[in-house]
Amino acid sequence: MNKPVELSAALALGWSLLLTLGLLSIAITVSTLFGSSNFALVVAGPAELLLMYPAARFIAKLYGDREPRKAFGLGSVSPVELLLGASLGIILHLPAGYLGALVERRYPTPPEILRAQLQQLTPTSAALAVGMLLSVAVVVPFAEELYFRGALFGGLQRSGPAFVAIWTTSIAFALAHQEPRNWAPLLMVALVLGTLRSLGGSIWAGVALHAAFNAATLSFVFLNRPTSVKPQEGSWQLAVIGCVLTVGGVWLFGRVAGRRLTEATGR
């Protein structure tokens, strides 16, 4: 059998930018068909999975390990690691939210766009709320982690050091989201996701983090049902606390994952 091709950081970004064009096409199609409705969010998740799963398979086959579980980062993970991942998904809202608020103050989103986003995130029925939650907090996290921290990360890690894989996949992940105002906070979240992948050797803790992060965003709107969009203020004190807790959570995750990996290898 032929040896897998080496995946460079530049090539990985190139493939990811091509994928981003596909994601943009999906977003335009869904928006054209369903507008800024709740159902558009319900459909967007499965549509994204239909694009990202074949893309992940392509990258894994070309650059990844011959064993599918390793190529996609589908290795085992402990319940504690999943819990820590989900907890980090909640905690990261503090620093990421503050960073997003700084960007928003400097480059404010037009009020009409904010109102449309709020309308789309506010469910008009319980069934749509469940569908939105499954799409945004289950399907999307799995699809994105399977590609970015799964196949793409695995290919990069086979060709170079872990920090290159972490930063390359994080930049690609941020750029894959079409709104430039979100790139800075998304990069912060992605760096934590990449670090968990590197420490634990699996995407599942990252899926838990990603799912919790998205679910927290939706749950805030579901529970509060805001009727208007107010300027974001943010708190640097909470952001600092969030950063400290994030660093501590990642450190603890590394200890737990490291112990599991040591026991698995018997060393």
Side-chain angles (χ1 to χ4, degrees):
M1 298 180 67
N2 295 329
K3 182 180 179 180
V5 182
E6 288 193 357
L7 180 62
S8 66
L11 190 56
L13 289 174
W15 284 122
S16 297
L17 289 175
L18 186 61
L19 176 70
T20 300
L21 292 178
L23 292 172
L24 181 59
S25 299
I26 289 176
I28 292 173
T29 302
V30 171
S31 178
T32 301
L33 293 175
F34 305 107
S36 297
S37 66
N38 295 158
F39 195 67
L41 281 183
V42 176
V43 172
E48 184 174 311
L49 179 61
L50 288 175
L51 174 65
M52 301 197 79
Y53 177 66
R57 289 195 62 179
F58 172 78
I59 295 295
K61 183 176 182 180
L62 194 59
Y63 305 105
D65 196 287
R66 294 189 181 92
E67 185 180 341
R69 283 174 59 87
K70 291 183 179 179
F72 291 113
L74 298 175
S76 61
V77 64
S78 70
V80 176
E81 290 169 67
L82 292 176
L83 179 61
L84 287 170
S87 301
L88 285 168
I90 305 299
I91 293 168
L92 275 167
H93 269 280
L94 297 175
Y98 179 70
L99 186 55
L102 292 179
V103 175
E104 183 67 26
R105 286 204 294 268
R106 183 66 179 85
Y107 303 102
T109 304
E112 60 273 14
I113 295 180
L114 286 174
R115 283 193 293 268
Q117 292 173 347
L118 180 61
Q119 179 182 354
Q120 188 176 47
L121 290 171
T122 304
T124 56
S125 70
L128 282 172
V130 172
M132 291 163 63
L133 194 62
L134 288 174
S135 177
V136 174
V138 178
V139 178
V140 168
F142 174 72
E144 294 184 350
E145 294 309 308
L146 188 69
Y147 176 81
F148 290 106
R149 258 67 59 176
L152 197 67
F153 191 102
L156 286 164
Q157 197 170 39
R158 286 175 62 86
S159 306
F163 79 88
V164 173
I166 292 172
W167 275 95
T168 303
T169 54
S170 297
I171 292 170
F173 175 79
L175 294 179
H177 295 76
Q178 291 83 41
E179 178 52 67
R181 293 180 184 85
N182 295 330
W183 286 349
L186 285 174
L187 179 62
M188 174 185 292
V189 174
L191 288 171
V192 178
L193 287 167
T195 303
L196 296 193
R197 168 68 164 92
S198 178
L199 291 173
S202 169
I203 68 169
W204 293 118
V207 171
L209 187 159
H210 201 151
F213 188 89
N214 287 4
T217 301
L218 280 182
S219 298
F220 175 81
V221 179
F222 288 2
L223 296 174
N224 292 277
R225 290 187 171 272
T227 57
S228 62
V229 179
K230 298 180 180 180
Q232 299 184 29
E233 296 181 359
S235 167
W236 69 265
Q237 295 93 338
L238 287 178
V240 170
I241 292 173
C243 287
V244 172
L245 291 175
T246 297
V247 172
V250 171
W251 175 82
L252 183 58
F253 178 89
R255 293 292 300 271
V256 174
R259 187 179 299 114
R260 172 180 57 81
L261 292 172
T262 300
E263 292 174 353
T265 57
R267 288 184 294 175

